[in-house]
Amino acid sequence: MGFTGFPDEAFVFYEGLEADNSKTYFTRHRQLYEEAVRAPMLALTEELATEFGAAQLFRPHRDVRFAKDKSPYKTHQGAFVDFMPGIGLYVQLDASGLYTAGGFYSTATDQVARYRAAVDEDLSGKRLQRIADELTAKGYAAEGDRLKTRPRGVSDDHPRIELLRHRSLYFGRRFEPEPWVHTEQAADRVRATWRDYGALVEWVCTHVRGSELPPR
């Protein structure tokens, strides 16, 4: 079946999971998760795949091995189109609504170094600033891991100091669960935002690329 929207039950499921993040709750509502969350998300990503490529759906379980928070389940369902390692397009469903984003999420040392070098260089840096300004003007928010101060060796008056603070950079937009979320129009909204992220993703793929460091 094609994508027809996310049902109310998807948001009800995550409201319940936020209140009771336990194996008991998830097991009791497993069928609801499969039918109201996972199946529509699969249908959505399959519909968008012809334009953007295949997406990976993330598992509902959290990796708690090194986390202080031992809650076993994620309180959202995410999916990611991977153009290069850590670079791509993202969509997420949770109790508060729908969220989309695009950019680079990795903080591998070599990628951060190439990113900052490209931001510092006038030609590529000014291009990224224009992309960022255009996305901001359209209502998207700049997000990602960033320093509170300036990077070492960068002056406080650098014209792109805010971009240089980033160790990862993506832009995103959140949508509350309005009536259109329950219809096929949700795919149109995600598609439109992913298209808007296209110039940013292209810039990142060109200048940051995938990590060349061996996995640890």
Side-chain angles (χ1 to χ4, degrees), residues 10 14 85 116 207:
Y14 279 118
R116 288 190 172 144
H207 297 287

Side-chain angles (χ1 to χ4, degrees), residues 99-118:
Y99 170 75
T100 74
F104 91 100
Y105 296 76
S106 172
T107 56
T109 303
D110 59 329
Q111 288 178 300
V112 175
R114 286 193 295 274
Y115 166 75
R116 288 190 172 144

Side-chain angles (χ1 to χ4, degrees), residues 37-134:
V37 177
R38 180 175 169 78
M41 185 64 82
L42 275 172
L44 171 65
T45 56
E46 287 172 0
E47 181 169 324
L48 297 174
T50 54
E51 180 174 350
F52 302 101
Q56 172 194 355
L57 265 66
F58 294 114
R59 298 171 64 247
H61 305 83
R62 295 181 63 245
D63 183 354
V64 299
R65 290 172 298 172
F66 308 106
K68 292 182 180 180
D69 178 7
K70 298 300 181 181
S71 302
Y73 299 101
K74 300 170 185 173
T75 55
H76 60 268
Q77 176 65 64
F80 189 69
V81 179
D82 193 5
F83 287 78
M84 288 184 177
I87 302 170
L89 300 166
Y90 181 69
V91 60
Q92 174 182 297
L93 177 79
D94 58 30
S96 64
L98 198 62
Y99 170 75
T100 74
F104 91 100
Y105 296 76
S106 172
T107 56
T109 303
D110 59 329
Q111 288 178 300
V112 175
R114 286 193 295 274
Y115 166 75
R116 288 190 172 144
V119 175
D120 184 50
E121 200 277 324
D122 259 2
L123 186 62
S124 53
K126 287 180 178 178
R127 169 63 177 151
L128 179 60
Q129 187 67 68
R130 286 194 298 272
I131 292 170
D133 291 343
E134 289 169 2

